Amino acid sequence: MEVPVIDLSRYLEIADQLSADPAKIAAQSAELGELCKEVSRILKETGALVVKDPRCSAEDNDRFIDMMEKYFEMPAEFKRLQERPHLHYQVGVTPEGVEVPRSLVDEEIQEKLKAMPKELQPSFPQGADPKWRYMWRVGPRPSNTQFKELNAEPVIPEGFPEWKDTMDSWGLKMISAIEVVAEMAAIGFGLPKDAFTSLMKQGPHLLAPTGSDLRRYGNEGTVFAGYHYDLNFLTIHGRSRFPGLSIWLRNGQKVQVKVPVGCLLIQTGKQIEWLTAGDCIAGMHEVVVTKRTIDAIKLASEQNRSLWRVSSTLFAHIASDAVLKPLGHFAESPLAAKYPPLPAGEFVEQELAVINLKGNKKDDTGR
């Protein structure tokens, strides 16, 4: 199964002219109203969406991945200079062997895995993920917040003069794409256009690319990111040069994701599940070396390209001080009681505590 591709061009052309009222939007443009319903339907049924945003080019993605490949290829001792364990790795680099997949520590998830048919089960990690990650805050932060730890200043490695511009440029472009999808999803769910985006303002959005060394860990079956969900609102990725991501649809089907050139992959996180009272659930996924990954490694070796697998991942969050609760008609859902009002920053801290991330062991604020 191919994950559906949504072209955002039509929405972008007339977005500024749209009413905030979903009913009026349907009257303004029946075609657009149907497209927004399609976005919300796909997110609800699959937890994933591939979009084409004319503002985010394949060249932008390549420029970012080129720089991150150069960084991850640096010696470990250089990269560790950007490590900030005292800030729980919420900025700077996270070395391999630190991020712990939730499926290793969450008993509820482990029980669900055992109940899955064998052919649909994820790969079982043996320990912490063998990947590096770099955390970079994107967008403005609140001047007054009770969650300062989640809004720390970024870390810039020496010898990369293009670092800040490249990180900020690609990060802001991906946030712009997320905002459009969030507006379209809100309309499709029958909520005001800004129902989600108004809560995202000054959120602790994280550009969090991973780097996996395929020279060392390129054997088929190696788990780079164990089975987990993301705890943020929506996650977005540019196309990786090495495949390996699999997602689980709401019906339990396992799908290897193929992102076309020039497109972006969006996945649902736990915060959108909260805001929709479970109508849209956080999507489960993993990154594992597959036969397709092996083929890509062979091709890259023949072409003398980098063998670091870089994911250009960005975690878009609800603002830390905003309250997570079912919105609009979702507050009337019989499941709404499972999602009581809670500041988003407190929710993040609770999720991190479950998987022991308040100390040195961590996953990330998206997982």
Side-chain angles (χ1 to χ4, degrees), residues 55 69 81 115-116 155 222 269 282 287 320:
R55 303 167 299 176
E69 284 178 348
L81 296 174
M116 282 183 178
V155 179
T222 299
V287 179
S320 301

Side-chain angles (χ1 to χ4, degrees), residues 15-84:
D16 292 340
Q17 306 159 32
L18 292 176
S19 165
D21 185 338
K24 290 181 180 176
I25 289 170
Q28 282 176 295
S29 172
E31 174 198 355
L32 207 59
E34 287 304 309
L35 186 61
C36 291
K37 285 180 181 176
E38 180 73 352
V39 166
S40 61
R41 182 192 66 77
I42 294 169
L43 289 176
K44 176 179 176 177
E45 292 180 4
T46 72
L49 180 72
V50 175
V51 300
K52 188 165 182 60
D53 187 328
R55 303 167 299 176
C56 302
S57 68
E59 291 74 24
D60 291 329
N61 188 49
D62 284 341
R63 190 178 308 114
F64 174 80
I65 290 182
D66 287 345
M67 184 184 77
M68 292 313 303
E69 284 178 348
K70 180 182 171 187
Y71 173 77
F72 285 125
E73 285 168 354
M74 298 294 285
E77 54 270 24
F78 170 84
K79 289 181 286 196
R80 285 185 179 273
L81 296 174
Q82 289 84 53
E83 189 179 2
R84 299 292 184 271

Side-chain angles (χ1 to χ4, degrees), residues 148-168:
K148 290 194 169 102
E149 186 180 289
L150 296 176
N151 295 277
E153 289 301 308
V155 179
I156 302 175
E158 288 186 18
F160 287 79
E162 75 279 28
W163 187 271
K164 187 177 187 304
D165 285 347
T166 303
M167 298 293 264
D168 285 344

Side-chain angles (χ1 to χ4, degrees), residues 155-197:
V155 179
I156 302 175
E158 288 186 18
F160 287 79
E162 75 279 28
W163 187 271
K164 187 177 187 304
D165 285 347
T166 303
M167 298 293 264
D168 285 344
S169 172
W170 186 231
L172 289 170
K173 285 184 177 186
M174 289 206 291
I175 286 177
S176 294
I178 286 263
E179 288 172 340
V180 170
V181 170
E183 285 189 359
M184 296 177 75
I187 294 166
F189 283 127
L191 300 171
K193 182 176 79 167
D194 65 349
F196 298 134
T197 53

Side-chain angles (χ1 to χ4, degrees), residues 135-147:
M135 296 288 204
W136 180 264
R137 301 288 175 187
V138 177
R141 292 295 185 264
S143 55
N144 185 23
T145 174
Q146 61 175 316
F147 301 101

